[in-house]
Amino acid sequence: MTHAYDSEYLDDAMRSLGEAMDYATNSCGINMDDFLKLFISTGYAQQFAAGVPKYLSGTSGTELAMDVFTGSGLQIELHKPRVEYDYSKEYWCGWILAYYQWYTGRNFKDIQKHISMEDIEKLYATLHEASEDKYVDVVNRIIRRNATPTRLQTQRKIAGYSQRELAEKVGVNLRTLQQYEIRAKDINKAAGATLLALSKALGCRMEDLMEYEDKEIE
């Protein structure tokens, strides 16, 4: 696999983004997903992913975060840079995100479209001591799963209903139905009466609407 920059810069890149994420969150109070959006929108993410030396190893993670805040025009109090960073969850999230981006070659915008920093943080407990390649495998599975249509969406399209038509027929809130279809809400936790009504309207079994995930972490 061809990478945008040589592996000799990878440790610096991982440490830099780890420090930037830690500083933004724990020193400046910026949500990790919000910081990543700023990182992308200001163009620094593209330069980082392209291997521009200044952003991989020429500046500290704190300086990178400060550049992002300044470039975005965000009016916040910039706290004094720290000399050392603990290996916090936020540090790990930035650190492993840099590895995943380098390894896969995906741009940061595409990564954020498929998996949030909040989701990455949820992986900390089980993966922060695992190998980086194990993390890549798990995230790739999550992205593949998220890119696959839900069973509800598939059954609805087979039956020929629009979302609004099905919601009205079953008596389910349209927004709730939409959230089930994009996995924003877990249909496995839906009320039995809701699942029964949906299955009857779609001419399938309730089990045909449930989501069964592959085991992600062994």
Side-chain angles (χ1 to χ4, degrees), residues 26-101:
N26 295 319
S27 294
C28 301
I30 303 297
N31 176 278
M32 284 196 291
D33 278 301
D34 290 339
F35 177 72
L36 183 55
K37 288 176 184 176
L38 294 176
F39 185 48
I40 294 167
S41 66
T42 54
Y44 288 107
Q46 292 89 320
Q47 296 181 67
F48 191 97
V52 176
K54 176 182 177 181
Y55 300 108
L56 296 184
S57 57
T59 60
S60 69
T62 299
E63 291 169 331
L64 174 60
M66 288 179 168
D67 285 348
V68 168
F69 292 141
T70 301
S72 70
L74 186 65
Q75 299 297 314
I76 65 167
E77 180 182 356
L78 296 178
H79 294 266
K80 184 178 179 180
R82 300 195 338 238
V83 177
E84 295 183 358
Y85 285 83
D86 294 330
Y87 197 70
S88 65
K89 287 191 296 184
E90 293 79 14
Y91 180 97
W92 179 82
C93 288
W95 181 84
I96 200 65
L97 175 62
Y99 181 85
Y100 183 81
Q101 188 283 318

Side-chain angles (χ1 to χ4, degrees), residues 20-204:
M21 199 66 74
D22 187 299
Y23 175 77
T25 304
N26 295 319
S27 294
C28 301
I30 303 297
N31 176 278
M32 284 196 291
D33 278 301
D34 290 339
F35 177 72
L36 183 55
K37 288 176 184 176
L38 294 176
F39 185 48
I40 294 167
S41 66
T42 54
Y44 288 107
Q46 292 89 320
Q47 296 181 67
F48 191 97
V52 176
K54 176 182 177 181
Y55 300 108
L56 296 184
S57 57
T59 60
S60 69
T62 299
E63 291 169 331
L64 174 60
M66 288 179 168
D67 285 348
V68 168
F69 292 141
T70 301
S72 70
L74 186 65
Q75 299 297 314
I76 65 167
E77 180 182 356
L78 296 178
H79 294 266
K80 184 178 179 180
R82 300 195 338 238
V83 177
E84 295 183 358
Y85 285 83
D86 294 330
Y87 197 70
S88 65
K89 287 191 296 184
E90 293 79 14
Y91 180 97
W92 179 82
C93 288
W95 181 84
I96 200 65
L97 175 62
Y99 181 85
Y100 183 81
Q101 188 283 318
W102 174 83
Y103 185 90
T104 63
R106 291 176 179 267
N107 61 59
F108 285 101
K109 186 175 182 179
D110 182 59
I111 294 170
Q112 189 183 50
K113 188 188 337 180
H114 291 97
I115 186 168
S116 68
M117 293 305 300
E118 182 180 357
D119 290 332
I120 291 174
E121 185 178 2
K122 291 176 182 176
L123 299 175
Y124 174 81
T126 49
L127 290 179
H128 75 281
E129 293 183 346
S131 70
E132 290 88 346
D133 290 343
K134 175 66 174 178
Y135 173 86
V136 170
D137 288 342
V138 170
V139 172
N140 281 342
R141 283 187 227 170
I142 292 172
I143 289 176
R144 284 196 299 270
R145 182 198 69 201
N146 290 345
T148 303
T150 58
R151 292 183 165 201
L152 173 59
Q153 184 185 73
T154 299
Q155 292 292 341
R156 175 179 61 78
K157 289 186 175 181
I158 290 173
Y161 289 112
S162 68
Q163 288 180 330
R164 184 173 298 278
E165 288 170 339
L166 180 59
E168 290 176 353
K169 183 177 180 65
V170 176
V172 174
N173 180 274
L174 175 59
R175 178 60 180 154
T176 298
L177 182 69
Q178 292 170 335
Q179 289 177 320
Y180 284 144
E181 288 205 359
I182 62 172
R183 297 186 176 92
K185 278 192 173 183
D186 186 357
I187 195 170
N188 293 357
K189 296 179 181 178
T194 299
L195 286 171
L196 181 60
L198 284 169
S199 64
K200 284 184 175 180
L202 296 172
C204 64

